[in-house]
Amino acid sequence: KTVMICDDEPDLRLLFGQMLGSKYNVILVESGENCIEKYKEEKSRGNKIHLILLDYRLGDMFGDSVARKIKQYNGTKIILISAYNLDVDLVKELEENKYITSYAETPIHLTNLIDLVANTIS
């Protein structure tokens, strides 16, 4: 199964990639625009991305915008991750409209993240 990690922080992107790389195919992208483009590219090749770990505050756009755009392409499961306290109503709206599967605040213990990914993909 394939997991895309979209985070503008290189250290987090690499850490999550190394952590998940033993169990999943991992695609690393550093911006919202790259996430959307890579998703469309993989989908057009017939490759399924099973999950996107999506940072909320990216350099070029916010994660909710990325999630909404990916949903337009018969999206995939998305775990939205943020170090900031997001508005409860925003998270609720994203979940209710199935733009995201779940939301996690950082810092998150790595074993909790591994479990969250495994439970979301299964």
Side-chain angles (χ1 to χ4, degrees):
K1 299 196 175 199
T2 301
V3 176
M4 181 183 291
I5 300 168
C6 179
D7 200 307
D8 60 342
E9 291 292 329
D11 293 343
L12 274 181
R13 199 170 53 243
L14 291 173
L15 175 65
F16 292 167
Q18 288 173 345
M19 181 185 67
L20 297 171
S22 63
K23 288 188 172 186
Y24 308 102
N25 296 321
V26 173
I27 298 171
L28 303 175
V29 293
E30 69 283 343
S31 72
E33 197 59 47
N34 285 0
C35 182
I36 295 164
E37 289 305 313
K38 188 67 173 172
Y39 180 83
K40 291 191 315 192
E41 180 184 311
E42 292 296 319
K43 190 171 174 79
S44 72
R45 290 182 179 161
N47 298 331
K48 180 169 175 61
I49 294 175
H50 298 86
L51 175 68
I52 299 173
L53 282 181
L54 179 61
D55 183 32
Y56 179 73
R57 193 169 282 184
L58 298 162
D60 60 341
M61 60 197 320
F62 289 106
D64 61 321
S65 297
V66 176
R68 291 172 200 278
K69 288 190 183 200
I70 292 209
K71 179 77 170 177
Q72 294 172 5
Y73 303 105
N74 295 325
T76 188
K77 294 179 178 178
I78 295 175
I79 298 173
L80 188 64
I81 299 174
S82 181
Y84 304 93
N85 290 329
L86 295 186
D87 180 68
V88 175
D89 291 335
L90 171 63
V91 173
K92 185 177 175 184
E93 185 261 329
L94 291 170
E95 288 177 332
E96 285 177 354
N97 291 305
K98 309 231 183 288
Y99 293 115
I100 64 172
T101 308
S102 61
Y103 167 66
E105 287 185 12
T106 55
I108 185 170
H109 197 277
L110 294 181
T111 55
N112 292 346
L113 185 62
I114 292 169
D115 291 345
L116 181 59
V117 168
N119 291 335
T120 303
I121 286 181
S122 62

